[in-house]
Amino acid sequence: MRQSRVRQRATRFFCFCRVYTFHHFDAIIIGAGAAGLFCAAHAGQRGLRVLLIDHAEKVAEKIRISGGGRCNFTNRDLDVRAPHKHFVGQNPQFCRSALSRYTPADFIALVDKHGIGHHEKHKGQLFADRSAEDLIAMLLAECADGKVERWQPCAVTSVSRTDDDVARYALETSRGAVSAHNVVIATGGLSIPKIGATDFGYRIATQFDLPLIERRPGLVPMTFDGAAWEPYAQLAGLALPVEISTGSKKERMAFVEDLLFTHRGLSGPAVLQISSYWQPGTPLAINLAATENMGEQLLAAKVRSRKLIANELAAHVPSRLADAWCQQSADWQRPVNEASDKALAKLAEKLSRWELIPTGTEGYKKAEVTLGGVDTRALSQQSMEARTQPGLFFIGEVVDITGWLGGYNFQWAWASAHACAQSL
Ligand code: FDA
């Protein structure tokens, strides 16, 4: 009898040790991407016991493939006082607090501290000189500095709330049960499922009754109806600078960037940027000769030239585009001096305001980001903690904050992760 009581006490003591010593953490972070790694490093360096879990074999696959393998890790032009300029979501102002407490300059200082060479390419976009791998190595070194424990590959099968004040959350994983005072969801969005994207974060939000904003692919190439696109499909591979816009007069959004023709539609920075603002069923307007007044140029050519209109046009836009464009009307397939003023004006008008309605996008398999996500009204902008679920945090792309192309999404991942880590 006495012996069995001793055994019972020993078992209870063992369970206590198992839960509170071996398998209990101050914070468990799910998702070892940009935001998860950065949050884990900061929390660990604050002295917290941190477990970082990812279901993929390798960490940070998106950092690895980003920026053409060189990771556009931040943007110098980010205006932290006016986040609506570079971020999309129901309430872009939400990210102001985190972005102003961890700025591009802070991240650049960290990159410099690790001796990683970088350069500015275009409009404030900073890239690693050598490889995105250098940034991943930097984040792993920062995690090691914070003694972060990492479990990979490891699947989380459930997250539940307990009534224990210390071990507030219990998790079942493919490596056993764990508990934590805080749980951080950093599982990103839905883009590029083949490298590990899942809807895990949205499912956890729903499980804990947090509202979601509808998700759709962002920074994504656009597609057009097969038959209607046929005349332009021959232009696949052609790139040129354009002005692209969408939306009503009041809410018009425009970008001046490069456009790329593809076999199925349009891509390139101009289209990726506008895709985050485009609403299905509405048109895009593209000025293919954004730097020229084509009407004036063609009328001037009429006075001095006998060349074909397509040849005159080729002085202002790529010749493949000029040829394809002029094939659209018999009035445009003649020497410029024989064309009527009206035909030239029509040609110029169509070139500078090409209106077309995309049939859709290339979807999550090609999108760089997911628009929508966890509704910011359910989170604290100081800490990223769910207002109704103490100890449950959401950071990075899983939140309804989406940056422009150009390093803004990584800056959001760093800043939201930093804000969260300070509050764990
Ligand atoms: P991220 O996607 O980085 O990480 C999520 C992690 O969670 C992954 O490691 C995943 O395996 C893990 N995970 C998912 N489901 C899980 C589950 N059920 N259980 C456990 N783990 C799970 N941005 C930018 O600023 N500059 C750039 O140059 C680029 N370039 C770029 C190129 C391409 C091709 C893409 C697809 C995206 C970009 N981006 C970008 C966007 C940028 O990569 C993205 O916004 C950030 O990586 C988001 O960081 P997160 O940490 O939130 O998610």
Side-chain angles (χ1 to χ4, degrees), residues 187-256:
T187 46
L190 298 167
S191 60
I192 326 276
K194 74 169 187 235
I195 58 166
T198 71
D199 64 352
F200 182 87
Y202 311 124
R203 279 191 277 121
I204 294 294
T206 305
Q207 179 192 331
F208 287 97
D209 291 328
L210 304 178
L212 292 173
I213 302 297
E214 198 183 335
R215 274 83 60 217
R216 63 188 171 89
L219 299 181
V220 63
M222 305 194 111
T223 53
F224 296 85
D225 176 70
W229 190 249
E230 223 175 272
Y232 308 107
Q234 56 176 310
L235 297 174
L238 183 84
L240 75 159
V242 302
E243 185 192 66
I244 191 164
S245 59
T246 194
S248 63
K249 238 184 198 165
K250 219 171 109 202
E251 291 179 334
R252 181 175 176 270
M253 196 63 211
F255 292 92
V256 176

Side-chain angles (χ1 to χ4, degrees), residues 125-147:
Q125 301 167 7
L126 294 190
F127 289 77
D129 286 347
R130 209 187 66 86
S131 164
E133 295 285 354
D134 292 343
L135 287 156
I136 299 175
M138 175 189 90
L139 294 169
L140 290 174
E142 290 286 319
C143 282
D145 211 22
K147 300 193 172 44

Side-chain angles (χ1 to χ4, degrees), residues 126-414:
L126 294 190
F127 289 77
D129 286 347
R130 209 187 66 86
S131 164
E133 295 285 354
D134 292 343
L135 287 156
I136 299 175
M138 175 189 90
L139 294 169
L140 290 174
E142 290 286 319
C143 282
D145 211 22
K147 300 193 172 44
V148 172
E149 188 165 336
R150 272 198 292 128
W151 288 5
Q152 275 181 270
C154 174
V156 177
T157 45
S158 74
V159 178
S160 49
R161 185 83 212 208
T162 70
D163 37 20
D164 188 316
D165 282 345
V166 180
R168 292 192 286 193
Y169 291 91
L171 277 70
E172 292 295 333
T173 81
S174 53
R175 296 200 186 183
V178 272
S179 65
H181 191 59
N182 293 308
V183 170
V184 181
I185 307 297
T187 46
L190 298 167
S191 60
I192 326 276
K194 74 169 187 235
I195 58 166
T198 71
D199 64 352
F200 182 87
Y202 311 124
R203 279 191 277 121
I204 294 294
T206 305
Q207 179 192 331
F208 287 97
D209 291 328
L210 304 178
L212 292 173
I213 302 297
E214 198 183 335
R215 274 83 60 217
R216 63 188 171 89
L219 299 181
V220 63
M222 305 194 111
T223 53
F224 296 85
D225 176 70
W229 190 249
E230 223 175 272
Y232 308 107
Q234 56 176 310
L235 297 174
L238 183 84
L240 75 159
V242 302
E243 185 192 66
I244 191 164
S245 59
T246 194
S248 63
K249 238 184 198 165
K250 219 171 109 202
E251 291 179 334
R252 181 175 176 270
M253 196 63 211
F255 292 92
V256 176
E257 284 285 1
D258 281 356
L259 173 91
L260 174 71
F261 284 83
T262 70
H263 289 288
R264 288 162 45 86
L266 294 171
S267 186
V271 168
L272 300 190
Q273 295 282 36
I274 209 74
S275 71
S276 295
Y277 292 89
W278 173 74
Q279 293 300 328
T282 64
L284 299 177
I286 302 176
N287 183 348
L288 290 163
T291 54
E292 311 269 355
N293 182 331
M294 278 317 301
E296 278 177 16
Q297 296 287 351
L298 288 173
L299 286 177
K302 182 176 169 174
V303 179
R304 59 164 167 74
S305 168
R306 290 178 185 181
K307 284 186 192 165
L308 283 173
I309 296 174
N311 292 346
E312 276 301 330
L313 209 53
H316 308 282
V317 299
S319 56
R320 274 170 73 200
L321 174 64
D323 287 343
W325 208 258
C326 289
Q327 278 164 25
Q328 295 180 79
S329 164
D331 289 345
W332 302 340
Q333 293 173 38
R334 56 179 61 184
V336 65
N337 60 323
E338 290 173 18
S340 69
D341 288 3
K342 199 174 154 200
L344 293 178
K346 199 167 168 203
L347 170 57
E349 160 71 15
K350 193 155 181 222
L351 202 63
S352 56
R353 197 171 167 82
W354 184 28
E355 278 212 353
L356 62 178
I357 300 180
T359 40
T361 73
E362 292 283 5
Y364 289 117
K365 71 176 191 305
K366 292 269 175 75
E368 289 205 5
V369 289
T370 301
L371 295 156
V374 179
D375 191 335
T376 54
R377 283 172 300 185
L379 305 176
S380 151
Q381 58 181 333
Q382 297 294 320
S383 64
M384 315 302 294
E385 187 174 18
R387 292 186 190 285
T388 53
Q389 293 294 335
L392 182 63
F393 299 73
F394 291 82
I395 58 174
E397 198 181 313
V398 71
V399 179
D400 172 35
I401 290 290
T402 306
W404 280 13
L405 191 76
Y408 296 99
N409 285 296
F410 279 135
Q411 188 59 37
W412 167 242
W414 318 135

